[in-house]
Amino acid sequence: GFDSKLFIYIGVLCSIFSVVAGWRMAIINRERSPIYIRWPAPFYFLWLFKEMFLSALAVSSKVWFTKSKISPALGWVKSTQSSPEAKAAYGNSITLTPGTVCTDIIDNDIQVHALMESSLNDLKRGTMDRKVSNNIC
């Protein structure tokens, strides 16, 4: 049968392996952290959680409860982040939001596949981009 404890043990072992590998590669040391997170980050994470919840409701209702068809879209969104870590945080935030997936990052442009064109247009307005820039890295 299915044993959830196995997945927990594997997760712990993978975490330990990642820390040891990072230590050996000199990515992790006692003097600095590889990622600098600013103090308002918890507020961003709360905002992101709210956006994830609202997006999940929108996608679920679009798929399950309406007769209208989805309108998938693929497009590019501008990014104002300067560091690779901040660009990754922005791309991951896009992917964590249901109905959108970051598929590529080239310079300051992020390619996004969206289940609904309105989601892509929301990203183009730049709210999430500004919040990442102001609150994360």
Side-chain angles (χ1 to χ4, degrees):
F2 176 75
D3 187 12
S4 60
K5 292 179 187 175
L6 175 65
F7 287 106
I8 292 172
Y9 294 138
I10 290 172
V12 169
L13 287 174
C14 288
S15 298
I16 292 169
F17 175 77
S18 297
V19 169
V20 170
W23 189 275
R24 292 199 39 129
M25 293 169 40
I27 294 173
I28 301 171
N29 61 33
R30 293 181 191 160
E31 297 167 0
R32 66 177 179 85
S33 171
I35 298 173
Y36 299 99
I37 297 178
R38 300 174 58 184
W39 71 269
F43 298 110
Y44 172 75
F45 295 129
L46 288 172
W47 176 84
L48 181 61
F49 182 75
K50 177 195 70 138
E51 291 298 310
M52 290 166 53
F53 179 76
L54 293 175
S55 183
L57 286 177
V59 169
S60 298
S61 67
K62 184 80 166 175
V63 171
W64 291 103
F65 303 117
T66 63
K67 301 278 188 224
S68 63
K69 295 184 178 183
I70 59 172
S71 57
L74 183 67
W76 292 90
V77 176
K78 290 287 183 192
S79 167
T80 59
Q81 283 73 39
S82 56
S83 71
E85 294 84 8
K87 289 177 187 177
Y90 184 31
N92 287 336
S93 295
I94 291 170
T95 300
L96 283 170
T97 307
T100 55
V101 177
C102 169
T103 58
D104 200 2
I105 299 176
I106 299 175
D107 297 327
N108 287 333
D109 295 317
I110 297 179
Q111 187 179 43
V112 177
H113 180 272
L115 188 61
M116 297 176 288
E117 192 171 3
S118 61
S119 299
L120 183 60
N121 293 333
D122 288 344
L123 285 170
K124 287 182 178 180
R125 286 190 196 100
T127 303
M128 185 180 286
D129 177 57
R130 284 188 299 278
K131 288 195 176 283
V132 170
S133 294
N134 295 335
N135 298 312
I136 299 294
C137 302

